Amino acid sequence: RAGLPKGAADADAPLAGRTLAMVFEKSSTRTRVSFDMAMRQLGGSALVLDAGTTQLGRGESVADTARVLSGYCDAVMIRTDDHAKLTEMAAHATVPVVNGLTDASHPCQIMADLMTLLEAGRALPGLKVAWLGDGNNVLASLVEAAALMRFEVVAACPQGFQPDEEAIVAASGRARVVADPREAVEGADVVVTDTWISMGQDDGGQEGAATKLAALAPYQVTPALMAAAKPDAAFLHCLPAHRGEEVATEVIDGPQSLVWPEAENRLHVQKSILRWCFGQIG
């Protein structure tokens, strides 16, 4: 195994000698750069494995890939379209495996969101968080966090694009779904949205995508909707953003937007995740 002996890492380079394998089946900017820079800043190194340039793209099983990477690297981060691939990787790897994103969840993003709110002086318990738009993987992780951190999520989603009911039930009363976007944002402390057409998402071609965009149009985060939230409400978006679709330019570039510190906090959160994986923080 490559890496320093246990206990040999110093305070300035706690992951010296450690290597992270980053497996990408989906394009990435923030996840790729933040994990890479996190490893560098902690004294370790990272390598990128794209599905199109590895044997994963030619039919090698995830289980076999997990076994091989475990012999070369100290941890694996996977960003994939299929949550089952993540669980298969974790089941067969003998090193830590980090969920960089799946079609079912995006926990690293939500950790950055919560860090951003804490930095802005918001106590998480008791917050009302409004979600507008598609009931996607980011919302699923937000709902999961609500149950753990004791805040409320009210998600406004159109029929046909609502989150999985099991996720809402699992939140133990901390989350609910409504049809009216104004009901969701009324008195909210935080307003959150995400792109309406996700990477690799099968929306039935151009016709299906057009139908989805039309259904979601009333859920665009506009200045009028933000005005229904609390006067000091924060706006979050995990990016990439499509101004004029899920959010108005005046909102994402306005004074209530925290999207840029939110994006930067991906780096700091990844550092914590990696150090936790190696047992360096509790």
PDB file of all heavy atoms in Angstrom, residues 252-282:
ATOM      1  N   ILE A 252     -29.935  35.365  -8.859  1.00  0.00           N
ATOM      2  CA  ILE A 252     -28.655  34.659  -8.687  1.00  0.00           C
ATOM      3  C   ILE A 252     -27.487  35.633  -8.593  1.00  0.00           C
ATOM      4  O   ILE A 252     -26.481  35.352  -7.936  1.00  0.00           O
ATOM      5  CB  ILE A 252     -28.427  33.628  -9.809  1.00  0.00           C
ATOM      6  CG1 ILE A 252     -27.246  32.704  -9.452  1.00  0.00           C
ATOM      7  CG2 ILE A 252     -28.217  34.295 -11.158  1.00  0.00           C
ATOM      8  CD1 ILE A 252     -27.077  31.524 -10.367  1.00  0.00           C
ATOM      9  N   ASP A 253     -27.612  36.780  -9.218  1.00  0.00           N
ATOM     10  CA  ASP A 253     -26.552  37.787  -9.139  1.00  0.00           C
ATOM     11  C   ASP A 253     -26.885  38.905  -8.154  1.00  0.00           C
ATOM     12  O   ASP A 253     -26.198  39.926  -8.116  1.00  0.00           O
ATOM     13  CB  ASP A 253     -26.291  38.386 -10.532  1.00  0.00           C
ATOM     14  CG  ASP A 253     -25.736  37.365 -11.509  1.00  0.00           C
ATOM     15  OD1 ASP A 253     -25.043  36.438 -11.054  1.00  0.00           O
ATOM     16  OD2 ASP A 253     -25.996  37.486 -12.720  1.00  0.00           O
ATOM     17  N   GLY A 254     -27.925  38.695  -7.369  1.00  0.00           N
ATOM     18  CA  GLY A 254     -28.387  39.715  -6.436  1.00  0.00           C
ATOM     19  C   GLY A 254     -27.779  39.587  -5.055  1.00  0.00           C
ATOM     20  O   GLY A 254     -27.018  38.652  -4.761  1.00  0.00           O
ATOM     21  N   PRO A 255     -28.118  40.490  -4.147  1.00  0.00           N
ATOM     22  CA  PRO A 255     -27.503  40.543  -2.815  1.00  0.00           C
ATOM     23  C   PRO A 255     -27.862  39.370  -1.893  1.00  0.00           C
ATOM     24  O   PRO A 255     -27.151  39.117  -0.916  1.00  0.00           O
ATOM     25  CB  PRO A 255     -28.027  41.863  -2.238  1.00  0.00           C
ATOM     26  CG  PRO A 255     -29.308  42.125  -2.979  1.00  0.00           C
ATOM     27  CD  PRO A 255     -29.073  41.605  -4.362  1.00  0.00           C
ATOM     28  N   GLN A 256     -28.948  38.662  -2.187  1.00  0.00           N
ATOM     29  CA  GLN A 256     -29.332  37.534  -1.338  1.00  0.00           C
ATOM     30  C   GLN A 256     -28.677  36.225  -1.764  1.00  0.00           C
ATOM     31  O   GLN A 256     -28.771  35.219  -1.064  1.00  0.00           O
ATOM     32  CB  GLN A 256     -30.861  37.373  -1.348  1.00  0.00           C
ATOM     33  CG  GLN A 256     -31.598  38.507  -0.652  1.00  0.00           C
ATOM     34  CD  GLN A 256     -33.095  38.415  -0.849  1.00  0.00           C
ATOM     35  OE1 GLN A 256     -33.630  38.825  -1.867  1.00  0.00           O
ATOM     36  NE2 GLN A 256     -33.792  37.884   0.149  1.00  0.00           N
ATOM     37  N   SER A 257     -28.011  36.240  -2.897  1.00  0.00           N
ATOM     38  CA  SER A 257     -27.398  35.025  -3.433  1.00  0.00           C
ATOM     39  C   SER A 257     -26.105  34.691  -2.713  1.00  0.00           C
ATOM     40  O   SER A 257     -25.226  35.543  -2.539  1.00  0.00           O
ATOM     41  CB  SER A 257     -27.113  35.205  -4.925  1.00  0.00           C
ATOM     42  OG  SER A 257     -26.419  34.074  -5.434  1.00  0.00           O
ATOM     43  N   LEU A 258     -26.000  33.431  -2.291  1.00  0.00           N
ATOM     44  CA  LEU A 258     -24.773  32.918  -1.665  1.00  0.00           C
ATOM     45  C   LEU A 258     -24.117  31.854  -2.539  1.00  0.00           C
ATOM     46  O   LEU A 258     -23.347  31.035  -2.045  1.00  0.00           O
ATOM     47  CB  LEU A 258     -25.093  32.339  -0.287  1.00  0.00           C
ATOM     48  CG  LEU A 258     -25.635  33.313   0.769  1.00  0.00           C
ATOM     49  CD1 LEU A 258     -25.925  32.565   2.063  1.00  0.00           C
ATOM     50  CD2 LEU A 258     -24.659  34.455   1.023  1.00  0.00           C
ATOM     51  N   VAL A 259     -24.413  31.862  -3.835  1.00  0.00           N
ATOM     52  CA  VAL A 259     -23.962  30.754  -4.685  1.00  0.00           C
ATOM     53  C   VAL A 259     -22.447  30.690  -4.829  1.00  0.00           C
ATOM     54  O   VAL A 259     -21.899  29.593  -5.002  1.00  0.00           O
ATOM     55  CB  VAL A 259     -24.631  30.784  -6.074  1.00  0.00           C
ATOM     56  CG1 VAL A 259     -26.132  30.609  -5.962  1.00  0.00           C
ATOM     57  CG2 VAL A 259     -24.281  32.049  -6.840  1.00  0.00           C
ATOM     58  N   TRP A 260     -21.759  31.827  -4.748  1.00  0.00           N
ATOM     59  CA  TRP A 260     -20.300  31.769  -4.942  1.00  0.00           C
ATOM     60  C   TRP A 260     -19.581  31.253  -3.713  1.00  0.00           C
ATOM     61  O   TRP A 260     -18.710  30.372  -3.848  1.00  0.00           O
ATOM     62  CB  TRP A 260     -19.776  33.132  -5.422  1.00  0.00           C
ATOM     63  CG  TRP A 260     -20.595  33.626  -6.584  1.00  0.00           C
ATOM     64  CD1 TRP A 260     -21.337  34.763  -6.652  1.00  0.00           C
ATOM     65  CD2 TRP A 260     -20.835  32.926  -7.827  1.00  0.00           C
ATOM     66  NE1 TRP A 260     -22.008  34.835  -7.851  1.00  0.00           N
ATOM     67  CE2 TRP A 260     -21.722  33.730  -8.593  1.00  0.00           C
ATOM     68  CE3 TRP A 260     -20.395  31.736  -8.358  1.00  0.00           C
ATOM     69  CZ2 TRP A 260     -22.167  33.363  -9.852  1.00  0.00           C
ATOM     70  CZ3 TRP A 260     -20.841  31.357  -9.622  1.00  0.00           C
ATOM     71  CH2 TRP A 260     -21.707  32.164 -10.349  1.00  0.00           C
ATOM     72  N   PRO A 261     -19.892  31.716  -2.500  1.00  0.00           N
ATOM     73  CA  PRO A 261     -19.311  31.039  -1.338  1.00  0.00           C
ATOM     74  C   PRO A 261     -19.771  29.588  -1.233  1.00  0.00           C
ATOM     75  O   PRO A 261     -19.016  28.725  -0.771  1.00  0.00           O
ATOM     76  CB  PRO A 261     -19.789  31.875  -0.148  1.00  0.00           C
ATOM     77  CG  PRO A 261     -20.871  32.749  -0.657  1.00  0.00           C
ATOM     78  CD  PRO A 261     -20.611  32.943  -2.112  1.00  0.00           C
ATOM     79  N   GLU A 262     -20.995  29.305  -1.675  1.00  0.00           N
ATOM     80  CA  GLU A 262     -21.502  27.929  -1.690  1.00  0.00           C
ATOM     81  C   GLU A 262     -20.624  27.056  -2.571  1.00  0.00           C
ATOM     82  O   GLU A 262     -20.249  25.931  -2.193  1.00  0.00           O
ATOM     83  CB  GLU A 262     -22.944  27.941  -2.212  1.00  0.00           C
ATOM     84  CG  GLU A 262     -23.592  26.587  -2.373  1.00  0.00           C
ATOM     85  CD  GLU A 262     -24.932  26.687  -3.088  1.00  0.00           C
ATOM     86  OE1 GLU A 262     -25.262  27.773  -3.628  1.00  0.00           O
ATOM     87  OE2 GLU A 262     -25.648  25.669  -3.121  1.00  0.00           O
ATOM     88  N   ALA A 263     -20.267  27.565  -3.752  1.00  0.00           N
ATOM     89  CA  ALA A 263     -19.408  26.799  -4.657  1.00  0.00           C
ATOM     90  C   ALA A 263     -18.013  26.619  -4.069  1.00  0.00           C
ATOM     91  O   ALA A 263     -17.431  25.527  -4.121  1.00  0.00           O
ATOM     92  CB  ALA A 263     -19.323  27.500  -6.014  1.00  0.00           C
ATOM     93  N   GLU A 264     -17.462  27.688  -3.481  1.00  0.00           N
ATOM     94  CA  GLU A 264     -16.133  27.577  -2.884  1.00  0.00           C
ATOM     95  C   GLU A 264     -16.124  26.582  -1.734  1.00  0.00           C
ATOM     96  O   GLU A 264     -15.130  25.857  -1.525  1.00  0.00           O
ATOM     97  CB  GLU A 264     -15.667  28.942  -2.368  1.00  0.00           C
ATOM     98  CG  GLU A 264     -14.293  28.892  -1.720  1.00  0.00           C
ATOM     99  CD  GLU A 264     -13.855  30.212  -1.120  1.00  0.00           C
ATOM    100  OE1 GLU A 264     -14.282  31.274  -1.617  1.00  0.00           O
ATOM    101  OE2 GLU A 264     -13.076  30.183  -0.140  1.00  0.00           O
ATOM    102  N   ASN A 265     -17.213  26.516  -0.999  1.00  0.00           N
ATOM    103  CA  ASN A 265     -17.261  25.612   0.152  1.00  0.00           C
ATOM    104  C   ASN A 265     -17.246  24.145  -0.234  1.00  0.00           C
ATOM    105  O   ASN A 265     -17.005  23.286   0.633  1.00  0.00           O
ATOM    106  CB  ASN A 265     -18.480  25.930   1.015  1.00  0.00           C
ATOM    107  CG  ASN A 265     -18.257  27.150   1.885  1.00  0.00           C
ATOM    108  OD1 ASN A 265     -17.114  27.509   2.182  1.00  0.00           O
ATOM    109  ND2 ASN A 265     -19.329  27.809   2.292  1.00  0.00           N
ATOM    110  N   ARG A 266     -17.477  23.839  -1.509  1.00  0.00           N
ATOM    111  CA  ARG A 266     -17.282  22.453  -1.941  1.00  0.00           C
ATOM    112  C   ARG A 266     -15.856  22.010  -1.623  1.00  0.00           C
ATOM    113  O   ARG A 266     -15.620  20.870  -1.213  1.00  0.00           O
ATOM    114  CB  ARG A 266     -17.555  22.308  -3.443  1.00  0.00           C
ATOM    115  CG  ARG A 266     -19.010  22.464  -3.864  1.00  0.00           C
ATOM    116  CD  ARG A 266     -19.900  21.338  -3.361  1.00  0.00           C
ATOM    117  NE  ARG A 266     -19.434  20.030  -3.777  1.00  0.00           N
ATOM    118  CZ  ARG A 266     -19.705  19.471  -4.962  1.00  0.00           C
ATOM    119  NH1 ARG A 266     -20.448  20.117  -5.854  1.00  0.00           N
ATOM    120  NH2 ARG A 266     -19.267  18.270  -5.252  1.00  0.00           N
ATOM    121  N   LEU A 267     -14.883  22.887  -1.832  1.00  0.00           N
ATOM    122  CA  LEU A 267     -13.483  22.561  -1.548  1.00  0.00           C
ATOM    123  C   LEU A 267     -13.281  22.246  -0.072  1.00  0.00           C
ATOM    124  O   LEU A 267     -12.676  21.224   0.277  1.00  0.00           O
ATOM    125  CB  LEU A 267     -12.589  23.731  -1.966  1.00  0.00           C
ATOM    126  CG  LEU A 267     -11.119  23.677  -1.505  1.00  0.00           C
ATOM    127  CD1 LEU A 267     -10.409  22.481  -2.114  1.00  0.00           C
ATOM    128  CD2 LEU A 267     -10.404  24.980  -1.865  1.00  0.00           C
ATOM    129  N   HIS A 268     -13.791  23.094   0.788  1.00  0.00           N
ATOM    130  CA  HIS A 268     -13.547  22.922   2.218  1.00  0.00           C
ATOM    131  C   HIS A 268     -14.278  21.694   2.762  1.00  0.00           C
ATOM    132  O   HIS A 268     -13.756  20.969   3.622  1.00  0.00           O
ATOM    133  CB  HIS A 268     -13.957  24.189   2.956  1.00  0.00           C
ATOM    134  CG  HIS A 268     -13.321  25.423   2.376  1.00  0.00           C
ATOM    135  ND1 HIS A 268     -11.958  25.541   2.208  1.00  0.00           N
ATOM    136  CD2 HIS A 268     -13.862  26.574   1.882  1.00  0.00           C
ATOM    137  CE1 HIS A 268     -11.683  26.707   1.661  1.00  0.00           C
ATOM    138  NE2 HIS A 268     -12.815  27.349   1.456  1.00  0.00           N
ATOM    139  N   VAL A 269     -15.473  21.453   2.240  1.00  0.00           N
ATOM    140  CA  VAL A 269     -16.219  20.264   2.644  1.00  0.00           C
ATOM    141  C   VAL A 269     -15.508  18.990   2.191  1.00  0.00           C
ATOM    142  O   VAL A 269     -15.428  18.016   2.946  1.00  0.00           O
ATOM    143  CB  VAL A 269     -17.653  20.329   2.082  1.00  0.00           C
ATOM    144  CG1 VAL A 269     -18.299  18.955   2.077  1.00  0.00           C
ATOM    145  CG2 VAL A 269     -18.498  21.287   2.907  1.00  0.00           C
ATOM    146  N   GLN A 270     -14.976  18.996   0.973  1.00  0.00           N
ATOM    147  CA  GLN A 270     -14.276  17.793   0.489  1.00  0.00           C
ATOM    148  C   GLN A 270     -13.070  17.477   1.365  1.00  0.00           C
ATOM    149  O   GLN A 270     -12.762  16.307   1.616  1.00  0.00           O
ATOM    150  CB  GLN A 270     -13.815  17.958  -0.966  1.00  0.00           C
ATOM    151  CG  GLN A 270     -14.775  18.569  -1.959  1.00  0.00           C
ATOM    152  CD  GLN A 270     -16.148  17.943  -2.086  1.00  0.00           C
ATOM    153  OE1 GLN A 270     -16.705  17.432  -1.115  1.00  0.00           O
ATOM    154  NE2 GLN A 270     -16.719  18.022  -3.283  1.00  0.00           N
ATOM    155  N   LYS A 271     -12.398  18.525   1.836  1.00  0.00           N
ATOM    156  CA  LYS A 271     -11.275  18.284   2.746  1.00  0.00           C
ATOM    157  C   LYS A 271     -11.743  17.545   4.000  1.00  0.00           C
ATOM    158  O   LYS A 271     -11.101  16.586   4.448  1.00  0.00           O
ATOM    159  CB  LYS A 271     -10.625  19.610   3.146  1.00  0.00           C
ATOM    160  CG  LYS A 271      -9.860  20.322   2.058  1.00  0.00           C
ATOM    161  CD  LYS A 271      -9.280  21.617   2.625  1.00  0.00           C
ATOM    162  CE  LYS A 271      -8.593  22.439   1.573  1.00  0.00           C
ATOM    163  NZ  LYS A 271      -8.058  23.710   2.128  1.00  0.00           N
ATOM    164  N   SER A 272     -12.843  18.006   4.553  1.00  0.00           N
ATOM    165  CA  SER A 272     -13.363  17.361   5.762  1.00  0.00           C
ATOM    166  C   SER A 272     -13.781  15.921   5.488  1.00  0.00           C
ATOM    167  O   SER A 272     -13.524  15.023   6.301  1.00  0.00           O
ATOM    168  CB  SER A 272     -14.561  18.154   6.294  1.00  0.00           C
ATOM    169  OG  SER A 272     -14.173  19.440   6.709  1.00  0.00           O
ATOM    170  N   ILE A 273     -14.439  15.706   4.349  1.00  0.00           N
ATOM    171  CA  ILE A 273     -14.867  14.351   3.987  1.00  0.00           C
ATOM    172  C   ILE A 273     -13.666  13.424   3.876  1.00  0.00           C
ATOM    173  O   ILE A 273     -13.670  12.298   4.410  1.00  0.00           O
ATOM    174  CB  ILE A 273     -15.657  14.382   2.671  1.00  0.00           C
ATOM    175  CG1 ILE A 273     -16.994  15.086   2.864  1.00  0.00           C
ATOM    176  CG2 ILE A 273     -15.857  12.957   2.120  1.00  0.00           C
ATOM    177  CD1 ILE A 273     -17.722  15.398   1.561  1.00  0.00           C
ATOM    178  N   LEU A 274     -12.632  13.886   3.198  1.00  0.00           N
ATOM    179  CA  LEU A 274     -11.454  13.045   2.983  1.00  0.00           C
ATOM    180  C   LEU A 274     -10.746  12.754   4.294  1.00  0.00           C
ATOM    181  O   LEU A 274     -10.351  11.616   4.563  1.00  0.00           O
ATOM    182  CB  LEU A 274     -10.512  13.718   1.996  1.00  0.00           C
ATOM    183  CG  LEU A 274     -11.045  13.784   0.553  1.00  0.00           C
ATOM    184  CD1 LEU A 274     -10.239  14.753  -0.287  1.00  0.00           C
ATOM    185  CD2 LEU A 274     -11.029  12.389  -0.077  1.00  0.00           C
ATOM    186  N   ARG A 275     -10.594  13.749   5.140  1.00  0.00           N
ATOM    187  CA  ARG A 275      -9.938  13.520   6.422  1.00  0.00           C
ATOM    188  C   ARG A 275     -10.775  12.584   7.296  1.00  0.00           C
ATOM    189  O   ARG A 275     -10.230  11.741   8.014  1.00  0.00           O
ATOM    190  CB  ARG A 275      -9.683  14.846   7.141  1.00  0.00           C
ATOM    191  CG  ARG A 275      -8.660  15.734   6.427  1.00  0.00           C
ATOM    192  CD  ARG A 275      -8.154  16.834   7.321  1.00  0.00           C
ATOM    193  NE  ARG A 275      -7.381  16.276   8.443  1.00  0.00           N
ATOM    194  CZ  ARG A 275      -6.874  17.013   9.422  1.00  0.00           C
ATOM    195  NH1 ARG A 275      -7.068  18.324   9.435  1.00  0.00           N
ATOM    196  NH2 ARG A 275      -6.205  16.448  10.405  1.00  0.00           N
ATOM    197  N   TRP A 276     -12.099  12.719   7.215  1.00  0.00           N
ATOM    198  CA  TRP A 276     -12.980  11.805   7.959  1.00  0.00           C
ATOM    199  C   TRP A 276     -12.805  10.378   7.452  1.00  0.00           C
ATOM    200  O   TRP A 276     -12.766   9.421   8.242  1.00  0.00           O
ATOM    201  CB  TRP A 276     -14.428  12.258   7.815  1.00  0.00           C
ATOM    202  CG  TRP A 276     -15.399  11.358   8.521  1.00  0.00           C
ATOM    203  CD1 TRP A 276     -15.727  11.366   9.847  1.00  0.00           C
ATOM    204  CD2 TRP A 276     -16.166  10.301   7.926  1.00  0.00           C
ATOM    205  NE1 TRP A 276     -16.665  10.387  10.115  1.00  0.00           N
ATOM    206  CE2 TRP A 276     -16.958   9.716   8.948  1.00  0.00           C
ATOM    207  CE3 TRP A 276     -16.281   9.822   6.626  1.00  0.00           C
ATOM    208  CZ2 TRP A 276     -17.814   8.660   8.710  1.00  0.00           C
ATOM    209  CZ3 TRP A 276     -17.152   8.760   6.382  1.00  0.00           C
ATOM    210  CH2 TRP A 276     -17.904   8.184   7.428  1.00  0.00           C
ATOM    211  N   CYS A 277     -12.687  10.224   6.134  1.00  0.00           N
ATOM    212  CA  CYS A 277     -12.509   8.878   5.562  1.00  0.00           C
ATOM    213  C   CYS A 277     -11.261   8.191   6.091  1.00  0.00           C
ATOM    214  O   CYS A 277     -11.231   6.959   6.230  1.00  0.00           O
ATOM    215  CB  CYS A 277     -12.420   8.967   4.034  1.00  0.00           C
ATOM    216  SG  CYS A 277     -13.990   9.256   3.203  1.00  0.00           S
ATOM    217  N   PHE A 278     -10.243   8.984   6.387  1.00  0.00           N
ATOM    218  CA  PHE A 278      -8.981   8.416   6.877  1.00  0.00           C
ATOM    219  C   PHE A 278      -8.882   8.458   8.403  1.00  0.00           C
ATOM    220  O   PHE A 278      -7.804   8.274   8.967  1.00  0.00           O
ATOM    221  CB  PHE A 278      -7.791   9.130   6.234  1.00  0.00           C
ATOM    222  CG  PHE A 278      -7.681   8.870   4.758  1.00  0.00           C
ATOM    223  CD1 PHE A 278      -7.819   9.903   3.842  1.00  0.00           C
ATOM    224  CD2 PHE A 278      -7.459   7.602   4.276  1.00  0.00           C
ATOM    225  CE1 PHE A 278      -7.725   9.668   2.487  1.00  0.00           C
ATOM    226  CE2 PHE A 278      -7.362   7.343   2.925  1.00  0.00           C
ATOM    227  CZ  PHE A 278      -7.498   8.388   2.014  1.00  0.00           C
ATOM    228  N   GLY A 279     -10.011   8.707   9.052  1.00  0.00           N
ATOM    229  CA  GLY A 279     -10.061   8.639  10.505  1.00  0.00           C
ATOM    230  C   GLY A 279      -9.359   9.754  11.221  1.00  0.00           C
ATOM    231  O   GLY A 279      -8.997   9.624  12.405  1.00  0.00           O
ATOM    232  N   GLN A 280      -9.160  10.900  10.545  1.00  0.00           N
ATOM    233  CA  GLN A 280      -8.417  11.995  11.145  1.00  0.00           C
ATOM    234  C   GLN A 280      -9.304  13.000  11.888  1.00  0.00           C
ATOM    235  O   GLN A 280      -8.810  13.795  12.675  1.00  0.00           O
ATOM    236  CB  GLN A 280      -7.600  12.719  10.075  1.00  0.00           C
ATOM    237  CG  GLN A 280      -6.522  11.845   9.477  1.00  0.00           C
ATOM    238  CD  GLN A 280      -5.681  12.579   8.456  1.00  0.00           C
ATOM    239  OE1 GLN A 280      -5.968  13.709   8.080  1.00  0.00           O
ATOM    240  NE2 GLN A 280      -4.623  11.941   7.989  1.00  0.00           N
ATOM    241  N   ILE A 281     -10.595  12.972  11.595  1.00  0.00           N
ATOM    242  CA  ILE A 281     -11.537  13.822  12.336  1.00  0.00           C
ATOM    243  C   ILE A 281     -12.759  12.994  12.674  1.00  0.00           C
ATOM    244  O   ILE A 281     -13.119  12.062  11.939  1.00  0.00           O
ATOM    245  CB  ILE A 281     -11.937  15.096  11.550  1.00  0.00           C
ATOM    246  CG1 ILE A 281     -12.534  14.743  10.188  1.00  0.00           C
ATOM    247  CG2 ILE A 281     -10.744  16.017  11.391  1.00  0.00           C
ATOM    248  CD1 ILE A 281     -13.022  15.951   9.423  1.00  0.00           C
ATOM    249  N   GLY A 282     -13.440  13.356  13.748  1.00  0.00           N
ATOM    250  CA  GLY A 282     -14.594  12.599  14.181  1.00  0.00           C
ATOM    251  C   GLY A 282     -15.874  13.089  13.595  1.00  0.00           C
ATOM    252  O   GLY A 282     -15.922  14.079  12.931  1.00  0.00           O
TER     253      GLY A 282
END
